Amino acid sequence: MTDTIFGKITRGEIPTEFIYEDDRCVVIRDIHPQAPTHVLIIPRKPIPRLVDADDGDSALLGHLMLVAGRVAEQLGVGDGFRLVVNNGEASGQTVFHLHLHVLAGRTLVEGGLANGIG
Ligand code: AMP
């Protein structure tokens, strides 16, 4: 499996501030934020795309969702944020290590983040 920058980040090989971490995932700020709050929930397990996950990843995927909500609350945006998962080049995925984008802080409707990112 090809390594990615997120593999290096989750393993601590590239110094990056973790705004949250546990045994299954890390959370970092996106280097090119698309909204005032833009963080990435990255599993330590290097699943390339969402479609590459299998039944054995169910608990991990659920955990990432729960962490997204908790981190959003921690960042003060628990009442209004969007989760985005790009899957595959055609969606705009650029890093082939599954991750959830948490976006918040500007209008999420009427042309704001309605079209997601990528
Ligand atoms: P995606 O297009 O869904 O694959 O999203 C990849 C995201 O990773 C983009 O929003 C990038 O800005 C972000 N990104 C790439 N490299 C880094 C990095 N070293 N630290 C933080 N975010 C990064």
Side-chain angles (χ1 to χ4, degrees), residues 5-6 9 14 16 28-34 38 40 84-87 91-97 99 101 117-118:
I5 191 161
F6 288 174
I9 287 173
I14 296 176
T16 305
I28 64 171
R29 292 194 184 277
D30 196 291
I31 202 167
H32 297 302
Q34 304 296 311
H38 186 176
L40 304 172
V84 172
V85 177
N86 290 322
N87 184 93
S91 76
Q93 184 176 1
T94 57
V95 180
F96 286 81
H97 180 136
H99 51 281
H101 296 257
I117 67 161

Side-chain angles (χ1 to χ4, degrees), residues 2-118:
T2 312
D3 195 17
T4 70
I5 191 161
F6 288 174
K8 293 180 174 65
I9 287 173
T10 56
R11 295 193 301 271
E13 295 167 13
I14 296 176
T16 305
E17 182 192 357
F18 294 162
I19 62 175
Y20 172 87
E21 69 173 310
D22 61 29
D23 59 330
R24 286 175 281 179
C25 68
V26 307
V27 181
I28 64 171
R29 292 194 184 277
D30 196 291
I31 202 167
H32 297 302
Q34 304 296 311
T37 296
H38 186 176
V39 301
L40 304 172
I41 318 295
I42 309 173
R44 293 186 189 276
K45 180 178 179 181
I47 301 166
R49 304 167 302 169
L50 182 61
V51 295
D52 299 312
D54 59 31
D55 287 347
D57 297 313
S58 297
L60 174 61
L61 296 178
H63 181 67
L64 299 178
M65 297 279 282
L66 289 171
V67 168
R70 286 185 199 135
V71 169
E73 290 196 315
Q74 177 189 318
L75 295 174
V77 297
D79 286 333
F81 64 93
R82 171 164 291 146
L83 285 184
V84 172
V85 177
N86 290 322
N87 184 93
E89 278 177 25
S91 76
Q93 184 176 1
T94 57
V95 180
F96 286 81
H97 180 136
L98 177 68
H99 51 281
L100 278 57
H101 296 257
V102 176
L103 297 140
R106 63 182 167 95
T107 183
L108 298 174
V109 294
E110 295 179 6
L113 292 171
N115 294 321
I117 67 161

